[in-house]
Amino acid sequence: MPAPLRIKLSLSEEETLAELQKASSVPYRTRNRAQMLKLNAQGRNVPEIAKIFNCHEHTVRATIRRWENKGLAGLWEAKGRGAKPRWTAEDIEYIETCLREEQRTYNSVQLARKLKQERKVALSSDRLRRILTKKNRWKRTRQSQKKKQNQQLRKLKKADLESLKMAAEAGYIDLKYLDEAGFCLWSPVSYSYSPVGQQKLMAQTPKKYGSRISIIGLWQEGKSFEYALAQGVLMAKAILKS
């Protein structure tokens, strides 16, 4: 049997180990080693300590030996220990750029496959999901027609509308607002990863199923709903006859 190991701690060493054990900024392995040393100094043997921490006795013995040889420095991991990360910050930036710029949705499985094919980085979908959710959220997308708009024409139309509003306020014209809304059997609902606080805009038109029903609405400022409804019906009849 290996010889029993027992250390003796001075008052200052006990206080230092107690502070390490409570410090949240210290790695948990270092905190565990500090507690192992305190238990050993209090009279606990190696098998008892190994049972408390649910680890092998060699781990406890190695901790005590490192304390005897290196002191406080022996409680920290040596540089270069542990598995090297299989991905870099540039890989995640590439994925986030694809999510932001490509007009399609991605789930974690599709992103992991894309990362492996295009960047030669093998990450599981679960691991990639945990990395992405630090800055992104899985949420519903929103349809947008901004890319189809003619911005110059939009500015001109907006200027025309302001002129019409001024004419209506002066009493020269009656300004009425006419708009169309459509109802259909298909839904554009889709989900993808988006930065926290933002919603991904989808410019593509989704597949359509079934027929579409369109309605026309007419509104005039200062008029009642019944008046606007009657005007809308008259407008719809006129359109149908034409």
Side-chain angles (χ1 to χ4, degrees):
M1 293 180 61
L5 296 176
R6 185 62 47 82
I7 62 172
K8 292 183 180 180
L9 300 174
S10 64
L11 181 60
S12 61
E13 289 174 337
E14 288 182 358
E15 292 176 351
T16 301
L17 292 177
E19 292 176 359
L20 285 177
Q21 184 182 343
K22 297 177 182 178
S24 58
S25 59
V26 174
Y28 78 96
R29 292 182 184 274
T30 301
R31 298 199 300 268
N32 287 348
R33 289 169 184 147
Q35 188 175 0
M36 287 179 184
L37 294 173
K38 287 181 58 181
L39 291 174
N40 183 258
Q42 293 169 3
R44 299 292 184 94
N45 58 30
V46 170
E48 290 176 334
I49 298 174
K51 188 174 182 180
I52 292 173
F53 286 89
N54 192 26
C55 65
H56 200 280
E57 294 180 13
H58 293 328
T59 303
V60 182
R61 290 194 181 92
T63 299
I64 297 174
R65 293 298 186 192
R66 290 172 66 174
W67 171 263
E68 292 175 338
N69 297 329
K70 299 182 179 181
L72 195 61
L75 301 185
W76 271 264
E77 294 283 355
K79 291 185 178 180
R81 295 290 299 277
K84 301 297 185 294
R86 291 178 291 177
W87 54 274
T88 63
E90 289 75 15
D91 296 323
I92 304 305
E93 289 176 2
Y94 172 76
I95 289 296
E96 291 177 341
T97 300
C98 294
L99 288 170
R100 183 174 58 253
E101 297 180 357
E102 293 185 12
Q103 282 299 308
R104 57 156 294 175
T105 59
Y106 283 104
N107 57 35
S108 58
V109 176
Q110 294 168 333
L111 288 173
R113 187 183 305 119
K114 183 180 184 68
L115 196 60
K116 185 174 183 180
Q117 292 175 349
E118 300 182 8
R119 305 281 294 187
K120 308 302 179 184
V121 176
L123 276 180
S124 68
S125 57
D126 291 338
R127 176 61 176 156
L128 184 56
R129 186 187 308 115
R130 289 195 295 270
I131 296 172
L132 285 174
T133 50
K134 293 179 180 179
K135 297 182 180 180
N136 301 270
R137 294 293 182 269
W138 177 255
K139 62 194 303 183
R140 180 176 173 176
T141 63
R142 183 162 61 91
Q143 296 295 312
S144 173
Q145 303 296 328
K146 286 186 177 181
K147 291 188 176 181
K148 295 183 179 180
Q149 293 178 354
N150 185 324
Q151 295 300 324
Q152 185 175 1
L153 181 60
R154 183 173 181 272
K155 291 180 180 180
L156 293 175
K157 295 294 184 182
K158 189 174 182 180
D160 291 342
L161 179 60
E162 295 299 326
S163 299
L164 292 173
K165 287 181 179 180
M166 294 175 61
E169 291 175 358
Y172 294 114
I173 62 172
D174 287 333
L175 183 60
K176 300 179 181 179
Y177 297 88
L178 181 68
D179 197 8
E180 179 186 7
F183 297 87
C184 52
L185 300 177
W186 49 270
S187 174
V189 177
S190 59
Y191 286 80
S192 186
Y193 287 98
S194 301
V196 175
Q198 299 181 25
Q199 190 175 18
K200 184 177 178 66
L201 302 179
M202 301 293 293
Q204 290 181 339
T205 303
K207 295 181 180 180
K208 301 179 180 180
Y209 303 94
S211 58
R212 175 185 174 94
I213 300 176
S214 298
I215 62 173
I216 295 177
L218 184 68
W219 175 77
Q220 184 177 3
E221 189 174 1
K223 299 296 183 178
S224 64
F225 172 77
E226 290 78 8
Y227 174 83
L229 180 62
Q231 292 293 314
V233 171
L234 294 175
M235 180 69 70
K237 289 181 178 179
I239 293 175
L240 291 174
K241 288 180 180 179
S242 62

